[in-house]
Amino acid sequence: WGESEDMIRLLGEYQAQLERLGLDGLALSPLRHPTGRGFAGSDSCADCHAEAYEVWKESGHAKALTTLEIQTPRRDGDPECLSCHVVGWGPQKYEPYVGGFAGMAVTPHLAHQGCENCHGPAATHVAVERGEVNASDEQRDRLRTDLSLGLETPEGRQRAVNNCLECHDLDNSPKFDFDTYWPQIEH
């Protein structure tokens, strides 16, 4: 909206209204994630995937919610924005998933664009790997495979590109190019 003071004022009023209503006041009903699995948060990935976690921690993804908080006006109460800036929402659908980000007071471990937005909900995987849940070798291996993007295959690469494009669309990231962006977060 560039320099239009009227549009900026209207946007500010809209964002203030969203903030007053809160996520509960917007009557957003969390949906079950298509995989049926729950979210663990990116910090849960750090023990086994330390190198990938460090790459993420230094990336813009690890600060995604902050970019909404520092906007003028703030946009961290806007479901349209949250859907790509936190874990546990359907990108571009403005719908939270059960167990997804519900606000900093409730689910701070799901703030920012985290590992599970690309790899999928990992609570079961984390519980199995920590020995908190008994699983067969086959079940454990299946959970690992389900969370792998498999960029080394054309199908895996295309799946990753499509996943990125859910948030890096023409409206929000018009210059997005997977081959340019991927090296910034490659892990």
Side-chain angles (χ1 to χ4, degrees):
W1 294 322
E3 299 166 10
S4 171
E5 291 180 25
D6 288 339
M7 291 306 291
I8 297 298
R9 182 183 49 73
L10 287 172
L11 178 61
E13 290 171 8
Y14 171 66
Q15 294 300 325
Q17 183 180 18
L18 291 174
E19 190 67 32
R20 278 191 307 276
L21 288 169
L23 298 178
D24 289 337
L26 293 172
L28 297 173
S29 298
L31 305 172
R32 185 178 168 159
H33 191 273
T35 65
R37 293 193 298 265
F39 301 94
S42 296
D43 288 346
S44 298
C45 305
D47 289 342
C48 298
H49 305 281
E51 188 175 315
Y53 179 80
E54 288 305 316
V55 169
W56 171 79
K57 198 75 170 150
E58 296 301 316
S59 75
H61 286 159
K63 302 163 193 72
L65 184 59
T66 304
T67 65
L68 299 178
E69 294 169 337
I70 64 172
Q71 294 287 316
T72 304
R74 290 177 69 124
R75 299 200 183 126
D76 57 319
D78 189 335
E80 186 173 354
C81 300
L82 286 174
S83 69
C84 286
H85 288 255
V86 298
V87 172
W89 282 60
Q92 302 295 335
K93 296 181 182 93
Y94 327 125
E95 299 168 336
Y97 289 122
V98 172
F101 182 80
M104 287 303 289
V106 183
T107 53
H109 65 292
L110 299 176
H112 310 295
Q113 171 61 266
C115 305
E116 294 166 292
N117 283 353
C118 298
H119 294 278
T124 305
H125 165 68
V126 169
V128 167
E129 297 294 339
R130 289 180 176 168
E132 297 166 359
V133 172
N134 290 327
S136 68
D137 290 347
E138 182 180 327
Q139 291 168 321
R140 183 204 62 221
D141 292 345
R142 184 74 189 149
L143 287 167
R144 290 176 178 175
T145 299
D146 287 350
L147 297 174
S148 173
L149 292 176
L151 290 174
E152 63 280 352
T153 68
E155 297 82 16
R157 183 182 191 286
Q158 191 57 55
R159 203 170 39 252
V161 169
N162 291 344
N163 192 31
C164 294
L165 289 172
E166 290 207 29
C167 291
H168 290 279
D169 63 3
L170 287 175
D171 288 335
N172 298 297
S173 193
K175 295 180 182 177
F176 178 79
D177 173 71
F178 183 81
D179 294 325
T180 302
Y181 279 50
W182 173 245
Q184 298 173 42
I185 61 162
E186 188 171 358
H187 56 282

